[in-house]
Amino acid sequence: RTAKTCFVYGTLMSEEVLHCLLGRIPRMQSEVILQNHSRHPVRQHVYPGVIPSTSTSASVEGALLLDLSPLELKLLDYFEEEGVDYKRTDVQVQIPDVSSLDEDIQTLVTNNSNKDDNYLSSRILKTQAYIWLKDTAALDTTQDWDFGEFKRKHLDWYLQYTVKPCRDEAV
C-alpha cells in the first residue's frame, strides 16, 4: 500500500485535533515549509487559510502527516469542507531535516536543485495541502495565524464544538 501524506498548517497540526478527528495521531514531520504561500486567519473563525503569494519570500511552516489511509484522507476532506472552503491541491514542500524520516518516506524525497534557494540543505517532497478556495476577502490578510494562540485560547472549545461534531457526522 502506498503511504499518503498531507501538509497541514493550522488546527490539524494539533495532536488533540488529529486524535479527536481520526481516532489516532499519525506520524508527523514538523518544521516543513510551503514556499510562496501565506497563512491568514479566516475572519470570525479560529482557523486559518493558506493562499498563494506573489512574494518569493513568503512561506508557511507546518507539519507533514505521514501514512494516511484513504479513509483518513476522506475524513480530512470532510473536515476541511474540500471543494467548498478549501481545495486539496498538489504542492511541493521543503523538509529541512530528512534524517528523522523513515526510509520509505525518504525515498519520496529528492534533492533540491534550486541554487538560489535559502534552504540549500533541505529536500523537496510532493504532497498535498488544503489551499483556501473562497474569496480572499474572507481572510484577514494583514495578519499571520498564530498556532500557539489557537492552542492557548481556542483548542478546548474547538475540539468540543467543531472537531467532535464533525467526527460524529462523518462516521
Side-chain angles (χ1 to χ4, degrees), residues 8 16 69 88 93-94 109 115 126 134 137 140 156 162:
V8 295
E16 295 90 342
S69 72
R88 184 153 44 96
V93 294
Q94 294 180 320
V109 179
K115 301 292 182 247
K126 290 179 179 170
K134 288 184 166 177
D140 181 356
D156 291 342
T162 302

Side-chain angles (χ1 to χ4, degrees), residues 20-21 78-79 157-171:
C20 185
L21 184 65
Y78 184 77
F79 179 71
W157 177 91
Y158 192 72
L159 288 170
Q160 185 174 350
Y161 293 105
T162 302
V163 186
K164 192 175 182 313
C166 178
R167 166 75 186 180
D168 293 345
E169 286 170 18
V171 179

